[in-house]
Amino acid sequence: MSTSITKQKNEALSISLPAQLKRDLLKRAQNDNVAVSQVVAEALKKHLILKEWRDLQDIFGPALLKLGIDSDEAVEEYFG
């Protein structure tokens, strides 16, 4: 079985950070033995996914509550 990995093209982005956050970022990258950009990219992906999830909850939450679906367990039970 062959697996192909498509490498995405990276683009540079310049950002400003508070000094302590920058130190924390550099320390995390060093401790994990990865590039700073990898730490930033992973954190940003998680942040964006969480924002999308919250947007979906805002959109569908009221309708789900009307159906009596008020927890993750209720979602699993209802939608299987």
Side-chain angles (χ1 to χ4, degrees):
M1 183 163 120
S2 173
T3 303
S4 82
I5 299 174
T6 305
K7 187 168 181 166
Q8 295 181 352
K9 181 183 175 199
N10 291 330
E11 295 187 17
L13 174 68
S14 177
I15 61 170
S16 296
L17 298 172
Q20 184 60 52
L21 183 56
K22 180 182 175 186
R23 285 191 295 273
D24 293 344
L25 172 62
L26 295 173
K27 184 177 179 181
R28 172 55 46 203
Q30 184 178 27
N31 288 346
D32 292 351
N33 198 29
V34 296
V36 171
S37 60
Q38 183 177 340
V39 175
V40 172
E42 289 174 4
L44 186 54
K45 284 178 193 175
K46 289 178 182 178
H47 174 79
L48 294 174
I49 288 169
L50 180 59
K51 288 289 191 179
E52 284 291 321
W53 175 245
R54 288 184 178 155
D55 288 347
L56 289 172
Q57 286 178 316
D58 289 344
I59 293 166
F60 295 108
L64 293 173
L65 286 175
K66 287 181 182 178
L67 294 171
I69 301 170
D70 59 359
S71 67
D72 291 341
E73 293 80 15
V75 169
E76 287 293 323
E77 188 176 311
Y78 189 86
F79 292 102

